[in-house]
Amino acid sequence: MSIFNHASIKIRMLALVLLPLIFASFLSALEVKKQRENVRALNTLNSKVSFLESLSQLNKLTNQAREQLFKHNTKVTLAPLTPSLSKIAQQLPQTFTAKNNLEMESWLASTNDALKELTEVSTEDLADWSAWFNELQVQALNTLEKDNSGFNDEINQQLAILYQLQWLSLWSTEEKWLINLLLQNRDDSELLSQLNSITERQQLFVERFIDINAKPEQVSLLLSTFSDKAFEQSYQLRSHILDKQALTNTPNISLEAFSQRLDLIQYVVSSFSVKLSSNIQSEIAQSKNLIWLFCTALFISLIIIAIIGANLYRRIINYLSHVINTMSHIEETHDYSQKISEEGNDELSLFSKTLNKLINERHQNELKILQAKREAEKANQAKSSFLANMSHEIRTPLNGIIGMSDIMAGTKLTATQSEYLQTIETSSQTLLILINDILDLSKIESGNLSITNTDADITEVVYDTLTIVLPKIAEKNLTLEVKIDNDTPYLVSLDEHRMKQVLVNLLSNAVKFTHEGGIKVVISCCNAAGYCDLLISVHDSGIGIAKEKQQHIFSPFTQEDDTTTREFGGTGLGLAICKQLITLMGGEIGLISEKGKGCCFSIKLRSQIITQEKPVSNQFEGLTTALISNNSELSERLNRECQQYGFNLNFHYQSCFDLLQEKQIFDLLFIDSFSSTRDTLAALPELLRQKDIFTIAINTPTEKRELDNMDATVTLPLLGNRFKNAVSNGLENRNLRLKQDSNSAINNQLAEEPEKVKIVILIVEDNLVNQKVASLLVKQAGFDCIIANNGQEALDFISSGEAFNAILMDCMMPVMDGFTATEKIREWEGLNSQSRHPIIALTASVLDQDIERCYQSGMDDYLAKPFKKEALLHKLKSVSKLAS
Ligand code: ADP
């Protein structure tokens, strides 16, 4: 069946209509052909009957002519015979089959000859001529009998009877002729024997007639004919002649009996002929009727099939396309007012009703689903807003706790107090991480977390995150290795913030679960046209994860060790968030690990390449540098890094003494703290005194030696921006030193202080504790500050013309919130052509939309609560630059 399903319904319908039509036409054509052949055969048969009649007529006339010639010596003329003869000539082609036709044509020629001869024959030769003519008659009848075209039984039987009667007539005529001859010469033994044989033949044909199974009425016709007196008299005469008795009665009367007998036989022949002819005519009419009937029936059925077929075809095809169109329209527009037409009262109408019912049900279900979705979204929204509020409310006091402990850490404390403070700090940070994780997870699950790609330097992203975990690595005395593929593009399209979050999580776990050995971060890259496949893997030599637990640790709240005696803290949310974030970025996160042998977490991500090569900066162009290290690999690596910023590593010394001896002049000295000896360190002050240089210590996280009087430090393997900052800081320190050399130290101190006091920060905050935290931290940084309790107060300060170097603006406040206050301040600045105040949002909300709102309202930066001293100072520093 399936093979038919490849053809369209349209084609199958056409086939369904056309095939029966063709088949019926074919069958009908066959039947019509058969009937036409039937008619043709019947016509031939009819010709045969007519031919027989003509033959019999010719026979009778010829006999009469011959008798006339014999009895009265009257000359025979062909005129009376000609009509029968030409009739025979005409009928001949239609009567016989092609094969017998030839034979009969020669027969006709012979008959013509014979008849012509009759006109000239003498009475003496008449007996011979009669024998010849009789011969021709016999031949004609034989050919006729042979030429059997075959037909239905009844007609065949009638034809056979007709033949027998024809024979009978022939032999009776012949008998009469012989008797004519015998009456003249009764002792002619040959004539007598001929008469004898003719008598027997007649007897034979009568018997054959009976054998043919003639019908009772036919037999009774024959019997009534044969029982006629003429027959009796003719038989008597024949017996007398055959027995050579004296003819007492007048022979004329007896011959008359023969003539009557012949007429009677002729009569029977013609009644049979007429009967047969009428039978044949009725058969022909019947066949013709049948042909008409077939043609009419075929025509009518073709019309009916065509009408029904066309109707069915139109109904099904139109219906199907109507259903398809309506369904597609509903699918596209969700317009359920559309219905499938239920017109008519057939199966398709029933089907339409069922379909409409289903569409209606689907509509109802869709409405229910939409309702359920709306409710779920509402619930989700409620959950998210509850979590955001909770987070906000927890962050606000947490800001107080963290800020205050930060401030307290800067005061003089006893060892025990410091320890307690450290506990407060750790607990607060743990609480903060937990809040952030729960908030992130909830945002991801509710679909509110969106990925924002920017142009990111993936190498810097890795270095930045490693910087965060570096203190822990150093604390646990672990090694750190970073391998970055040379093909790694400089800038790719990436959500830097979320990638850092993932990497911090993986690296924190790596450090947390590793007690000895180290951590290795590898970035490998496979570049293609316009994009690259990044593979970032974090390897550790820690406790590893058992195979059976590996799948589960990416689920929320799941840890490898879920016993109550577990050694490591944590919530089990980190990896779940990592997985969700990487999936949102379109990447994959995977794990290879063996219990006790460490872990390898890897992130596969396809990113668009923004810039392949990092451009060489000329920031430090012309700087001459030297390195003291016995590590040649380090020298090469540093040189590469220097070249990236437009200068070279000019001199490489194995020790400090080599340097002193060479007396080269340069600006920057890198000192590899690992390969430096105590001697190097001892000689350093001397060196600094002699030369106008600045120094940068090169450390590793574990092999860190305290080098005094260094201008900056670089911790391997973290280079990039850290290296640039170290050079920049070192350069600044040297310039400061040079300045200090030319002025007295005290004067410098005095000159700097009033500069610091000039910076005034406006703190806009409604919460008293947070006011305190912010103002203390600002003051610790050496800035001055003024407090505004809400947005309105801040606006009043600004519009009264008071000048501030920066504004720290809380977002949610009574009277006027931070967003409105910022908008109004920007409006006032615009109207009064005042310079723009740098505004930093202080927000306890970390929701993307809130942060976005900060920028939209005109703020320049934001700091999430709770914040640390360093973070605030960093922001204020950049802000004070803005202000200057
Ligand atoms: P948490 O670290 O807060 O428990 P995570 O989702 O980050 O939550 O990690 C889930 C669990 O996966 C951890 O508790 C730990 O059992 C296992 N795990 C994660 N990283 C490592 C690793 N580097 N080494 C060994 N186990 C790890």
Side-chain angles (χ1 to χ4, degrees):
M1 257 338 258
S2 61
I3 189 173
F4 291 112
N5 291 345
H6 293 293
S8 74
I9 289 193
K10 220 187 248 185
I11 291 189
R12 279 185 274 171
M13 287 292 298
L14 268 175
L16 198 70
V17 173
L18 289 180
L19 282 180
L21 282 179
I22 293 169
F23 193 60
S25 308
F26 177 70
L27 285 184
S28 304
L30 278 184
E31 193 55 39
V32 167
K33 191 175 164 231
K34 194 177 149 197
Q35 290 306 326
R36 280 170 65 89
E37 276 165 11
N38 219 6
V39 169
R40 208 176 302 128
L42 285 167
N43 277 328
T44 313
L45 216 58
N46 207 20
S47 298
K48 260 181 198 167
V49 174
S50 307
F51 184 85
L52 273 176
E53 225 173 294
S54 307
L55 196 67
S56 168
Q57 186 68 17
L58 181 72
N59 202 15
K60 187 178 160 192
L61 292 173
T62 313
N63 191 41
Q64 281 170 3
R66 159 174 79 171
E67 279 180 2
Q68 286 289 327
L69 179 66
F70 180 68
K71 284 183 190 162
H72 312 291
N73 206 5
T74 320
K75 196 162 165 52
V76 174
T77 54
L78 279 178
L81 304 175
T82 313
S84 298
L85 207 57
S86 52
K87 223 174 170 184
I88 285 174
Q90 266 172 24
Q91 285 164 342
L92 202 77
Q94 297 122 42
T95 310
F96 293 93
T97 53
K99 196 176 99 204
N100 293 330
N101 215 4
L102 272 175
E103 195 180 321
M104 285 308 285
E105 266 168 15
S106 80
W107 169 85
L108 187 63
S110 305
T111 308
N112 268 326
D113 292 347
L115 290 175
K116 261 184 215 153
E117 216 172 303
L118 182 63
T119 55
E120 290 150 18
V121 78
S122 62
T123 355
E124 291 80 43
D125 294 332
L126 200 53
D128 289 341
W129 181 90
S130 293
W132 178 31
F133 189 73
N134 185 45
E135 194 82 353
L136 284 171
Q137 297 296 300
V138 170
Q139 184 195 348
L141 275 177
N142 271 333
T143 314
L144 263 176
E145 255 189 326
K146 220 167 47 185
D147 194 81
N148 189 6
S149 45
F151 208 74
N152 75 28
D153 286 351
E154 192 183 345
I155 287 179
N156 280 344
Q157 185 237 24
Q158 285 182 4
L159 198 62
I161 291 174
L162 199 60
Y163 287 141
Q164 302 321 311
L165 289 174
Q166 199 69 38
W167 281 114
L168 195 64
S169 160
L170 176 72
W171 295 121
S172 298
T173 313
E174 201 56 31
E175 184 187 359
K176 189 183 170 202
W177 172 248
L178 282 179
I179 288 181
N180 268 328
L181 293 178
L182 277 168
L183 284 176
Q184 279 195 358
N185 186 7
R186 296 191 56 179
D187 293 325
D188 190 336
S189 59
E190 195 187 334
L191 284 177
L192 281 172
S193 97
Q194 275 182 24
L195 185 63
N196 237 338
S197 112
I198 284 172
T199 309
E200 277 166 19
R201 278 191 190 177
Q202 286 182 56
Q203 192 56 43
L204 183 77
F205 289 117
V206 173
E207 279 166 19
R208 272 212 215 154
F209 180 91
I210 311 282
D211 281 350
I212 284 167
N213 272 339
K215 285 183 187 161
E217 68 266 19
Q218 294 164 341
V219 176
S220 73
L221 175 69
L222 206 68
L223 282 179
S224 68
T225 310
F226 284 2
S227 56
D228 193 281
K229 230 168 97 193
F231 273 83
E232 201 183 321
Q233 287 173 354
S234 62
Y235 289 152
Q236 266 176 16
L237 183 60
R238 182 175 59 196
S239 315
H240 282 293
I241 289 171
L242 285 174
D243 299 343
K244 296 185 182 172
Q245 290 175 17
L247 294 175
T248 45
N249 301 331
T250 52
N252 278 346
I253 296 172
S254 304
L255 275 176
E256 192 54 33
F258 270 100
S259 295
Q260 279 174 13
R261 199 183 99 187
L262 260 182
D263 287 345
L264 279 171
I265 292 173
Q266 277 299 324
Y267 166 75
V268 174
V269 168
S270 69
S271 19
F272 266 89
S273 293
V274 170
K275 182 89 177 82
L276 184 56
S277 241
S278 97
N279 269 357
I280 289 170
Q281 287 306 334
S282 88
E283 280 286 336
I284 289 174
Q286 213 175 325
S287 286
K288 281 187 177 166
N289 282 345
L290 266 179
I291 290 175
W292 271 111
L293 199 72
F294 264 111
C295 289
T296 319
L298 176 70
F299 183 69
I300 292 173
S301 46
L302 286 187
I303 287 182
I304 292 173
I305 292 177
I307 291 172
I308 295 178
N311 174 272
L312 201 65
Y313 176 85
R314 239 195 6 254
R315 171 81 169 130
I316 293 181
I317 296 301
N318 288 355
Y319 180 77
L320 280 180
S321 67
H322 168 67
V323 170
I324 292 168
N325 288 343
T326 313
M327 296 293 249
S328 328
H329 183 79
I330 292 174
E331 196 62 44
E332 277 163 25
T333 59
H334 290 263
D335 173 11
Y336 288 97
S337 63
Q338 289 265 324
K339 288 273 170 288
I340 292 167
S341 161
E342 294 176 7
E343 214 176 86
N345 199 18
D346 54 10
E347 289 83 347
L348 292 180
S349 322
L350 214 69
F351 180 61
S352 298
K353 280 179 194 147
T354 320
L355 269 183
N356 280 337
K357 222 168 122 187
L358 282 176
I359 291 171
N360 199 28
E361 270 172 27
R362 186 186 151 164
H363 184 201
Q364 296 307 324
N365 285 343
E366 207 167 87
L367 288 178
K368 277 184 204 158
I369 291 168
L370 278 176
Q371 178 66 21
K373 191 176 161 232
R374 269 196 294 272
E375 275 165 18
E377 273 169 0
K378 244 181 174 171
N380 216 352
Q381 201 106 37
K383 186 182 101 182
S384 296
S385 100
F386 168 76
L387 273 167
N389 285 340
M390 281 301 293
S391 152
H392 186 273
E393 292 312 311
I394 295 169
R395 272 164 198 276
T396 308
L398 206 57
N399 189 41
I401 298 169
I402 290 177
M404 280 303 183
S405 36
D406 219 6
I407 293 161
M408 230 166 114
T411 60
K412 203 162 182 282
L413 297 170
T414 65
T416 325
Q417 282 170 335
S418 284
E419 202 187 318
Y420 291 165
L421 202 60
Q422 184 62 43
T423 314
I424 295 173
E425 160 78 12
T426 318
S427 309
S428 317
Q429 287 303 335
T430 311
L431 188 57
L432 190 59
I433 290 170
L434 185 64
I435 294 167
N436 284 344
D437 279 357
I438 290 178
L439 205 62
D440 271 348
L441 198 73
S442 133
K443 275 201 279 183
I444 291 169
E445 281 182 352
S446 63
N448 285 332
L449 193 136
S450 56
I451 295 295
T452 317
N453 286 347
T454 52
D455 299 351
D457 181 347
I458 188 70
T459 312
E460 279 305 316
V461 170
V462 170
Y463 284 150
D464 281 350
T465 43
L466 277 169
T467 310
I468 297 169
V469 291
L470 203 62
K472 276 273 174 211
I473 293 177
E475 190 185 297
K476 293 184 89 172
N477 213 18
L478 302 173
T479 60
L480 173 64
E481 198 184 332
V482 180
K483 262 179 89 178
I484 298 171
D485 197 334
N486 286 338
D487 286 341
T488 308
Y490 166 50
L491 290 181
V492 292
S493 177
L494 192 78
D495 190 329
E496 192 175 335
H497 169 63
R498 293 298 172 190
M499 182 52 94
K500 273 185 187 165
Q501 188 179 347
V502 172
L503 286 175
V504 165
N505 208 292
L506 296 184
L507 284 164
S508 307
N509 278 346
V511 178
K512 182 159 107 180
F513 296 106
T514 305
H515 301 306
E516 54 186 24
I519 315 288
K520 184 164 122 187
V521 180
V522 182
I523 303 180
S524 48
C525 188
C526 181
N527 291 348
Y531 67 88
C532 63
D533 286 321
L534 283 171
L535 181 71
I536 307 168
S537 36
V538 177
H539 303 252
D540 68 59
S541 56
I543 59 169
I545 303 172
K547 285 261 175 300
E548 65 277 9
K549 302 270 179 170
Q550 287 179 12
Q551 288 209 330
H552 308 298
I553 55 159
F554 290 102
S555 310
F557 305 104
T558 318
Q559 296 179 315
E560 201 232 356
D561 179 5
D562 50 8
T563 60
T564 47
T565 56
R566 68 195 160 101
E567 182 188 343
F568 303 97
T571 55
L573 285 176
L575 285 180
I577 293 170
C578 288
K579 182 168 176 149
Q580 306 260 34
L581 286 177
I582 294 294
T583 309
L584 276 177
M585 288 181 193
E588 281 172 30
I589 187 163
L591 163 69
I592 301 171
S593 176
E594 214 176 298
K595 190 76 190 153
K597 293 196 176 160
C599 290
C600 169
F601 284 93
S602 50
I603 300 164
K604 266 193 215 163
L605 191 66
R606 178 165 287 189
S607 286
Q608 192 196 337
I609 299 175
I610 305 297
T611 313
Q612 179 64 39
E613 294 298 332
K614 185 172 182 178
V616 174
S617 144
N618 57 2
Q619 192 178 354
F620 304 116
E621 212 171 4
L623 211 63
T624 49
T625 58
L627 165 70
I628 304 176
S629 171
N630 52 14
N631 182 343
S632 58
E633 206 184 303
L634 175 66
S635 147
E636 268 172 40
R637 207 160 150 205
L638 263 189
N639 194 25
R640 272 206 305 277
E641 205 65 21
C642 293
Q643 283 169 350
Q644 191 65 51
Y645 296 100
F647 61 102
N648 284 306
L649 187 61
N650 306 95
F651 311 106
H652 180 195
Y653 304 110
Q654 295 295 320
S655 73
C656 184
F657 298 108
D658 296 345
L659 170 90
L660 287 172
Q661 277 165 15
E662 295 239 350
K663 296 199 188 328
Q664 294 286 359
I665 304 208
F666 52 84
D667 303 303
L668 166 61
L669 174 64
F670 290 107
I671 302 169
D672 172 11
S673 58
F674 179 61
S675 54
S676 305
T677 58
R678 283 191 178 283
D679 301 337
T680 317
L681 300 174
L684 203 62
E686 172 66 14
L687 184 79
L688 289 174
R689 234 180 298 121
Q690 286 177 11
K691 304 200 179 226
D692 202 8
I693 57 171
F694 64 100
T695 49
I696 294 178
I698 309 286
N699 284 330
T700 58
T702 43
E703 304 295 341
K704 199 189 241 174
R705 295 191 190 175
E706 284 302 323
L707 297 184
D708 296 330
N709 300 326
M710 291 285 122
D711 289 309
T713 306
V714 170
T715 306
L716 288 178
L718 312 182
L719 297 167
N721 281 349
R722 280 134 296 271
F723 177 78
K724 183 183 84 177
N725 291 342
V727 176
S728 170
N729 289 343
L731 208 56
E732 253 180 50
N733 281 349
R734 182 185 72 170
N735 295 344
L736 199 65
R737 238 186 357 258
L738 289 174
K739 223 174 169 185
Q740 280 174 343
D741 281 349
S742 57
N743 303 308
S744 79
I746 301 156
N747 281 347
N748 276 343
Q749 193 73 27
L750 284 172
E752 249 179 68
E753 264 175 12
E755 221 179 281
K756 266 193 176 175
V757 173
K758 267 188 214 157
I759 296 173
V760 183
I761 312 287
L762 174 64
I763 300 168
V764 192
E765 170 68 73
D766 63 320
N767 185 294
L768 283 179
V769 180
N770 287 340
Q771 280 179 2
K772 227 177 208 169
V773 170
S775 58
L776 282 169
L777 289 176
V778 165
K779 278 181 186 159
Q780 269 192 359
F783 306 131
D784 217 356
C785 66
I786 288 181
I787 307 267
N789 290 306
N790 54 54
Q792 185 58 54
E793 279 186 22
L795 182 64
D796 292 344
F797 274 126
I798 299 290
S799 50
S800 69
E802 255 186 82
F804 300 100
N805 295 80
I807 303 170
L808 294 175
M809 178 79 78
D810 187 22
C811 291
M812 290 194 201
M813 287 176 291
V815 186
M816 183 188 283
D817 64 30
F819 306 117
T820 322
T822 307
E823 278 163 13
K824 294 214 181 269
I825 289 170
R826 294 292 180 230
E827 206 180 303
W828 180 85
E829 286 167 350
L831 286 175
N832 295 283
S833 313
Q834 293 291 314
S835 60
R836 203 179 146 93
H837 288 86
I839 303 177
I840 302 169
L842 292 179
T843 170
S845 167
V846 284
L847 295 180
D848 290 340
Q849 61 262 37
D850 287 348
I851 293 162
E852 188 58 30
R853 220 178 137 195
C854 292
Y855 289 110
Q856 276 169 3
S857 62
M859 299 189 196
D860 300 296
D861 207 344
Y862 86 97
L863 189 60
K865 288 181 195 171
F867 47 82
K868 297 269 290 176
K869 188 161 79 187
E870 294 82 34
L872 179 66
L873 293 186
H874 176 73
K875 295 275 180 195
L876 281 177
K877 260 191 185 173
S878 57
V879 157
S880 63
K881 265 186 206 158
L882 278 169
S884 62

